[in-house]
Amino acid sequence: MAAVTYELKKTCKQSGARLGTIHTPHGSIDTPMFMPVGTLATVKTLSPEELEDMNAQIILSNTYHLWLRPGEDIVQEAGGLHSFMNWDRPILTDSGGFQVFSLSDFRNIKEEGVHFRNHISGEKLFLSPEKAMQIQNALGPDIMMALDECPPYPAEESYMKASVERTSRWAERCLEAHQNKETQGLFGIIQGGEYEHLRKQSADDLISLDFPGYAIGGLSVGEPKDVMNRVLEFTTPLLPSHKPRYLMGVGSADSLIDGAIRGVDMFDCVLPTRIARNGACMTNHGRLVVRNAAYARDFSPIDRDCNCHVCRNYSRAYIRHLIKSNETFGFRLTSYHNLYFLLDLMKKVREAIMEDRLLDFREEFFEQYGFNRP
Ligand SMILES: C=CCOC(=O)Nc1nc2cc3[nH]c(NC)nc3cc2c(=O)[nH]1
């Protein structure tokens, strides 16, 4: 029995969107869905109980970061990530190092793997497909990601072609090195940049390896949104409809809706918790920077149309005061609200697909949120 399976439940009549359920050893996940990011085995400032309260179905953690701190051996001795962080729902690990790999000064990609610097100590490190699998097998997530190269944007077509071919060879090496096939699913990552024929080549290579799910990589790396949407338009149809599709690193409200419309099932992004720590909040009426002086005497909730615990119990004035005072509780309140907002948005997206009205929902949401119309 495969560790991770996907059940396609309904295809939207208005668009390429679909409803499904991903079954994993730690539970099932209704899609399309958003994954809160817990880089160092914690979704910053929030407890597992709070994540369950807001109906987070799955969270993401980072291979590279946990390899460095505390080390996958310690997590393994704790019984794996679920025991270590007291989270008994599904977990997905990605590299989390794509910034390090692509941005670090000393970064050298060879056939055997990637050489780069530890972003904390500066010491030289080496990560191969086999090492990435050994770390993830030790961490014990329900879904692991094959090691790939995420080229910078833009990239020369010749560079991208060579990179896609190496990523396909690395994907095969990851499959060979995979130890716990019965309890951990391994997803392949499609690359190819904005080149349609390279996306096809990458998809064909990885589909032939029969992964239980596929990620669309190489996006949300600085390209304009219309480029991302165009790449999704011709890439998602290349992927099997009976397997999940995961768009890596995407998490703004408009991109989640536009990705779902194009057939994406899974999303992750640090955006909601990262901007929260800067005192910025996602609301149904656009972004609200609650630390601004304008809110000093504003005793209304962050978002009058949000039903979360924070919006029902705390005011903008109070949260602004905490953020300005650098009070941890302030960051907890903005982080809780932002994650709730995106998880609730994906619930509304699933409902809209069920009622075959996702494009209408997009119009309404974009209008209310103030996104410039297409
Ligand atoms: C164990 C190794 C598993 O390898 C990976 O996780 N690889 C990988 N991660 C990404 C992360 C991204 N975040 C964004 N934007 C914020 N774009 C991303 C693109 C990629 C990508 O193309 N590949």
Side-chain angles (χ1 to χ4, degrees), residues 49-323:
E49 293 75 17
E50 287 169 320
L51 292 168
E52 285 197 14
D53 288 348
M54 64 173 78
N55 294 322
Q57 303 180 82
I58 175 173
I59 62 164
L60 184 140
S61 222
N62 293 147
T63 304
Y64 163 70
H65 290 86
L66 291 168
W67 173 37
L68 264 48
R69 290 184 296 188
E72 74 280 2
D73 47 333
I74 289 175
V75 177
Q76 186 165 32
E77 281 168 44
L81 264 178
H82 292 90
S83 314
F84 191 51
M85 65 185 292
N86 183 36
W87 173 258
D88 62 5
R89 293 184 178 185
I91 298 175
L92 179 149
T93 50
D94 78 351
S95 71
F98 100 99
Q99 302 92 329
V100 173
F101 303 159
S102 44
L103 306 182
S104 82
D105 56 340
F106 167 85
R107 181 209 32 122
N108 207 347
I109 296 193
K110 296 281 186 209
E111 185 61 31
E112 71 271 12
V114 53
H115 299 269
F116 58 101
R117 268 194 210 290
N118 178 322
H119 72 292
I120 303 159
S121 67
E123 69 172 315
K124 290 187 174 177
L125 290 173
F126 172 68
L127 192 60
S128 65
E130 292 76 14
K131 181 64 183 167
M133 293 303 292
Q134 180 262 316
I135 297 167
Q136 293 179 88
N137 280 147
L139 295 173
D142 301 90
I143 302 175
M144 312 164 27
M145 302 308 292
L147 183 67
D148 62 336
E149 181 195 356
C150 172
Y153 175 82
E156 283 292 311
E157 183 171 340
S158 54
Y159 180 88
M160 189 61 78
K161 180 167 171 50
S163 172
V164 161
E165 288 162 355
R166 179 170 49 228
T167 285
S168 297
R169 291 192 297 274
W170 283 7
E172 195 150 12
R173 284 169 54 186
C174 285
L175 264 183
E176 314 260 312
H178 187 5
Q179 295 302 312
N180 313 336
K181 288 185 170 61
E182 316 69 44
T183 57
Q184 296 182 274
L186 174 64
F187 283 16
I189 305 178
I190 311 289
Q191 292 292 346
E194 55 187 308
Y195 305 102
E196 187 164 359
H197 67 289
L198 293 181
R199 287 281 176 184
K200 175 97 173 86
Q201 181 178 345
S202 184
D204 290 347
D205 290 351
L206 297 189
I207 290 168
S208 68
L209 295 172
D210 194 24
F211 288 104
Y214 296 94
I216 300 166
L219 292 176
S220 189
V221 288
E223 77 283 359
K225 287 203 173 166
D226 62 308
V227 170
M228 176 158 77
N229 285 332
R230 181 168 55 80
V231 171
L232 288 177
E233 218 118 281
F234 62 65
T235 303
T236 47
L238 301 174
L239 300 175
S241 58
H242 63 290
K243 294 184 175 181
R245 299 146 178 179
Y246 164 25
L247 176 54
M248 305 185 86
V250 170
S252 59
D254 57 327
S255 298
L256 290 179
I257 295 171
D258 281 338
I261 285 172
R262 290 165 177 79
V264 175
D265 308 302
M266 303 161 69
F267 302 87
D268 88 275
C269 193
V270 294
L271 194 71
T273 39
R274 179 166 297 168
I275 67 169
R277 294 195 298 281
N278 294 327
C281 300
M282 298 170 163
T283 82
N284 285 293
H285 306 276
R287 187 177 285 198
L288 181 127
V289 183
V290 75
R291 63 180 304 127
N292 286 350
Y295 306 112
R297 289 180 166 73
D298 181 342
F299 301 103
S300 65
I302 284 176
D303 184 344
R304 62 182 177 282
D305 295 326
C306 177
N307 191 33
C308 84
H309 178 79
V310 175
C311 291
R312 281 187 282 108
N313 292 286
Y314 302 94
S315 71
R316 292 171 176 185
Y318 176 63
I319 296 170
R320 175 182 179 274
H321 156 64
L322 295 180
I323 298 281

Side-chain angles (χ1 to χ4, degrees), residues 339-354:
L339 279 179
Y340 180 102
F341 176 81
L342 285 186
L343 293 169
D344 187 53
L345 175 66
M346 296 316 283
K347 182 165 170 283
K348 289 172 182 165
V349 163
R350 294 194 294 270
E351 287 162 356
I353 295 170
M354 179 57 84

